[in-house]
Amino acid sequence: MNDRKRTHFGFQEVDEGDKSQRVADVFDSVAQRYDVMNDVMSGGLHRLWKALTIARSGVRPGARVLDVAGGTGDLALAFAKKVGESGEIWLTDINRAMLTRGRDRLSDKGYILPVAQCDAEKLPFPDDYFDCVSVAFGLRNMTHKDLALAEMRRVLRPGGRLLVLEFSQIWKPLAPVYDFYSFKVIPRLGRLITDDEESYRYLAESIRVHPDQAALKLLMEQAGLEQVDYENMALGIVALHRGFKF
Ligand code: SAM
């Protein structure tokens, strides 16, 4: 009998130990064209979703912020503008190609931020350090979401907040149209723009197997976060969950 633990990689079931390598392959493949593809796929809406995340962060000048799975740096850049010179923003990600791209984009805009390549499940930061931790479109790709959420809580200071921006469950009547767009249109756009249809098929599949709004709220509560709430954007295509550490 095979007693190795299994997990989702999109619609496939894989050994837990294999998932992170597969996720790494996806982001190695798309890193160079990631930002263009985000704009095309979402019609630019991801910028609004990220702007709302920043607005809900409560971050002020001088704050310490950790962006987990920060990729090409959109949130880190927006936070850096908010906290000013006295603040501290860390851009982190498990994937070197995404981080390199992020670091280059930030420095092109005149921001030199501390960057760390690390797994969200084992964050190299002390307890009780950050005022705010964010993770945008990253949690879905993590093998042990419970461990990652517990780590994000650990590094928050008491009173700090965690923001999780992620694809979620769309308003049911629109599901057929969204399915068509996700499974027929997005992989084709992926092929045209990044020459990689498979990675964008994984994107669509990974959204379908990710916990919905209520399930993610529960996961956050189980990780010890308090006063957890969420708001839907674009009829639930995306949800922003927020929780506090007290
Ligand atoms: N946050 C960025 C944004 O919103 O544009 C990038 C999101 S991208 C869809 C997902 C990111 O999650 C990738 O850069 C990937 O490398 C990262 N990631 C996946 N698993 C991770 C893990 N276990 N720890 C840290 N980052 C991870």
Side-chain angles (χ1 to χ4, degrees), residues 20 23-24 27 34-35 38 46 50 67-75 92-95 98-99 118-121 135-143 148 165 167 203:
S20 55
V23 170
F27 290 102
Y34 175 82
D35 299 299
N38 265 358
H46 76 104
K50 287 170 178 163
D67 188 29
V68 172
T72 58
D74 281 349
L75 282 187
T92 68
D93 198 285
I94 201 169
N95 185 287
M98 292 290 282
L99 262 188
C118 58
D119 187 341
E121 296 179 21
V135 56
F137 306 112
L139 190 66
R140 198 181 68 246
N141 301 294
M142 294 172 192
T143 309
L165 179 66
F167 292 106
L203 167 74

Side-chain angles (χ1 to χ4, degrees), residues 27-207:
F27 290 102
D28 281 342
S29 164
V30 304
Q32 289 311 313
R33 308 286 289 159
Y34 175 82
D35 299 299
V36 181
M37 189 61 190
N38 265 358
D39 276 333
V40 172
M41 269 187 318
S42 72
L45 277 177
H46 76 104
R47 293 167 185 262
L48 283 180
W49 300 332
K50 287 170 178 163
L52 191 73
T53 304
I54 301 291
R56 295 287 186 267
S57 69
V59 161
R60 303 219 170 102
R64 291 173 178 163
V65 183
L66 171 65
D67 188 29
V68 172
T72 58
D74 281 349
L75 282 187
L77 175 64
F79 278 127
K81 290 179 178 164
K82 243 185 140 58
V83 303
E85 298 262 302
S86 57
E88 183 179 333
I89 309 294
W90 281 83
L91 170 64
T92 68
D93 198 285
I94 201 169
N95 185 287
R96 178 176 287 265
M98 292 290 282
L99 262 188
T100 303
R101 180 128 183 95
R103 194 199 49 206
D104 292 350
R105 282 179 80 218
L106 291 170
S107 63
D108 285 351
K109 294 182 190 326
Y111 289 85
I112 310 291
L113 304 183
V115 170
Q117 186 178 359
C118 58
D119 187 341
E121 296 179 21
K122 275 178 253 126
L123 292 171
F125 299 100
D127 296 355
D128 303 336
Y129 189 76
F130 291 100
D131 298 295
C132 178
V133 175
S134 59
V135 56
F137 306 112
L139 190 66
R140 198 181 68 246
N141 301 294
M142 294 172 192
T143 309
H144 305 102
K145 299 178 197 6
D146 52 347
L147 293 185
L149 289 169
E151 272 295 86
M152 295 183 223
R153 179 187 178 278
R154 178 183 66 76
V155 300
L156 273 177
R157 68 161 172 82
R161 71 180 81 182
L162 171 63
L163 297 164
V164 182
L165 179 66
E166 191 49 274
F167 292 106
S168 202
Q169 190 150 314
I170 193 171
W171 183 52
K172 275 263 158 10
L174 284 186
V177 179
Y178 184 51
D179 282 349
F180 179 82
Y181 182 68
S182 305
F183 291 105
K184 301 288 182 213
V185 180
I186 287 183
R188 281 180 199 168
L189 288 174
R191 189 177 61 210
L192 278 175
I193 295 170
T194 67
D195 196 23
D196 180 354
E197 186 166 337
E198 269 317 298
S199 291
Y200 283 92
R201 196 175 307 287
Y202 161 73
L203 167 74
E205 293 181 2
S206 66
I207 293 169

